[in-house]
Amino acid sequence: MLVKKSLLAFFFIVALLTIVACSSNDGASTNVNESANNNGDTAFYDGKSLEILIPTSPGGGSDIMGRFMAPYLHEHLEGNPTVQPVNVPGGGTITGSNEFALMREANGEHTFWASISTTTAYLLNNPAVKFDYKEMTPVLGYPDGGVVYISSDTGVTDPSNLLEANQQLVYGGTSATGLPLTTILSFEVLGLDVDAIFGYESSGPARIAFEQGETNIDFQTTSSYLSNVLPLVDSGQAVPLYSIGQINSDGELIRDPQFPDLPTVKEVYEAIYGEEPTGQEWEAYKAFVGALYTVQKVLWVHADAPEEAVKALVVGIENMVEDEEFAVEGQQVFGYDPFVGEELQSLMNQLLDLPDGVQDWVVEYLLREHGVEL
């Protein structure tokens, strides 16, 4: 009887030790995400939440991208914080941008998902802008692109005969100081006579105006062009003219990798005039393509956020973009490869530094040609 009791005690102890060992192993694996370092300190985001402030209405491109990122950031940030996208629309993205800068504490628990309209307002020194990119640190960036296309009713069949349209060209957009800026600058470079109508709520209604014949030349960003405009091209209603393009490391305009068969504005100019474009309008166009499209969507954090928060964000984002599932699914959402780390910081420093005279020329151009006073 004593032997049986001893054996039972022995097996009980072995089972107990096994449970403890398994618990220790589970804790060790959990600590990869929930505990930070060898000193036993908890991860910065352990038990915290992270806000992604999106300065647009729900349902738009920026909102879709921000919400797509949220669960992946939760998974890959050490400490697995709750990640909450928050929409603060208004003022052409300026309202939410100002709110992030002025009303969100620089504690590392708030990020800001900036878009093309945000950066346009910043570069033009819009007086409503109260934020400063110099007081923020970029942690993730994505390029974007788009295509200018024309109605086949104009008789234009190729970019080289763009000046031979059989009707007045009419373009519709949101605001001359927002997304359409680079498009109307491309018209200026090419010497096109285009009546520009502004005040559309977004590029979606502007595209519908094109489909209904209210306008006959339009621009859509990559995702919208691929999903909404290509069917018009296939049916013969629209003719693609050129892509906005990208600026390479040498400062040269190159073809958009999403549209390798479409010419750039430079190529169209050469086809029409037989020489390369020059002048202030050309320099302004290149500068704004670089600043607004080469890295268009950017996730920012306050520059004076805790150092450990910024480091955790960078490491988590680097792990996120290397996640195969995120890369595959994200290609459908973002369309381009991301920039992270030092490469992103270097690009932003370069792209947000407009060449001398460009800003003044664009401000004068907007007043002269479109009656917009900044």
Side-chain angles (χ1 to χ4, degrees):
M1 190 71 175
L2 181 60
V3 173
K4 289 183 179 180
K5 289 183 178 180
S6 299
L7 286 174
L8 286 172
F10 172 77
F11 286 125
F12 175 77
I13 293 171
V14 170
L16 182 61
L17 290 174
T18 301
I19 292 171
V20 171
C22 289
S23 299
S24 298
N25 288 337
D26 288 343
S29 61
T30 302
N31 285 345
V32 172
N33 284 324
E34 295 185 353
S35 296
N37 52 43
N38 295 330
N39 295 326
D41 297 334
T42 56
F44 177 84
Y45 286 107
D46 188 20
K48 293 184 172 66
S49 62
L50 179 70
E51 176 190 61
I52 303 177
L53 192 154
I54 304 169
T56 64
S57 301
S62 294
D63 180 64
I64 291 170
M65 294 174 184
R67 293 182 182 280
F68 174 81
M69 283 192 295
Y72 290 97
L73 283 173
H74 164 76
E75 178 182 352
H76 290 284
L77 280 174
E78 194 173 28
N80 306 116
T82 300
V83 180
Q84 181 62 52
V86 176
N87 297 89
V88 185
T93 76
I94 294 177
T95 300
S97 307
N98 287 343
E99 184 166 318
F100 172 78
L102 302 177
M103 301 177 66
R104 293 299 194 270
E105 187 178 352
N107 58 6
E109 297 181 39
H110 303 278
T111 59
F112 166 53
W113 185 230
S115 69
I116 188 170
S117 296
T118 317
T119 306
T120 302
Y122 177 80
L123 291 173
L124 291 176
N125 274 346
N126 188 314
V129 168
K130 305 302 179 185
F131 63 92
D132 188 349
Y133 281 144
K134 295 177 182 177
E135 297 176 358
M136 305 180 196
T137 298
V139 290
L140 175 67
Y142 275 92
D144 201 359
V147 175
V148 173
Y149 56 97
I150 196 167
S151 170
S152 56
D153 292 341
T154 62
V156 175
T157 58
D158 185 84
S160 62
N161 68 347
L162 189 49
L163 298 183
E164 302 168 14
N166 59 24
Q167 55 187 247
Q168 175 64 48
L169 298 183
V170 181
Y171 167 77
T174 53
S175 166
T177 59
L179 176 65
L181 175 61
T182 313
T183 303
I184 60 177
L185 285 176
S186 76
F187 298 158
E188 187 72 13
V189 170
L190 294 172
L192 300 183
D193 179 16
V194 180
D195 285 342
I197 302 171
F198 300 109
Y200 289 91
E201 184 177 349
S202 68
S203 56
R207 189 197 73 251
I208 293 173
F210 175 90
E211 295 176 3
Q212 295 175 343
E214 299 170 18
T215 62
N216 54 20
I217 188 168
D218 189 36
F219 163 81
Q220 293 291 320
T221 55
T222 297
S223 58
S224 178
Y225 180 83
L226 293 175
S227 60
N228 299 312
V229 182
L230 269 186
L232 302 179
V233 174
D234 294 338
S235 66
Q237 296 174 262
V239 177
L241 296 174
Y242 52 87
S243 73
I244 286 294
Q246 303 267 302
I247 299 296
N248 66 13
S249 58
D250 296 323
E252 297 297 325
L253 184 70
I254 60 174
R255 291 192 176 194
D256 188 324
Q258 287 285 351
F259 307 104
D261 297 329
L262 287 182
T264 64
V265 170
K266 178 182 178 182
E267 293 174 89
V268 174
Y269 186 95
E270 291 170 339
I272 295 174
Y273 299 104
E275 60 183 8
E276 293 187 4
T278 58
Q280 291 177 306
E281 61 271 26
W282 172 236
E283 296 304 321
Y285 177 79
K286 289 194 297 180
F288 276 87
V289 168
L292 302 178
Y293 287 90
T294 301
V295 185
Q296 188 192 104
K297 306 290 188 189
V298 182
L299 187 67
W300 300 86
V301 65
H302 295 97
D304 53 349
E307 184 178 353
E308 59 267 38
V310 178
K311 287 183 177 179
L313 278 171
V314 171
V315 171
I317 287 170
E318 287 176 342
N319 291 335
M320 178 182 74
V321 300
E322 291 175 2
D323 182 323
E324 184 176 355
E325 179 182 304
F326 177 86
V328 172
E329 298 295 330
Q331 191 66 27
Q332 306 299 317
V333 177
F334 299 100
Y336 297 84
D337 294 331
F339 295 106
V340 295
E342 293 182 2
E343 181 183 24
L344 173 62
Q345 182 67 67
S346 177
L347 273 172
M348 296 311 302
N349 290 340
Q350 171 190 339
L351 298 177
L352 292 177
D353 185 17
L354 292 177
D356 292 342
V358 165
Q359 183 190 74
D360 291 339
W361 184 88
V362 170
V363 170
E364 292 173 4
Y365 158 76
L366 290 173
L367 178 60
R368 181 181 72 250
E369 299 296 331
H370 300 285
V372 177
E373 184 173 3
L374 291 173

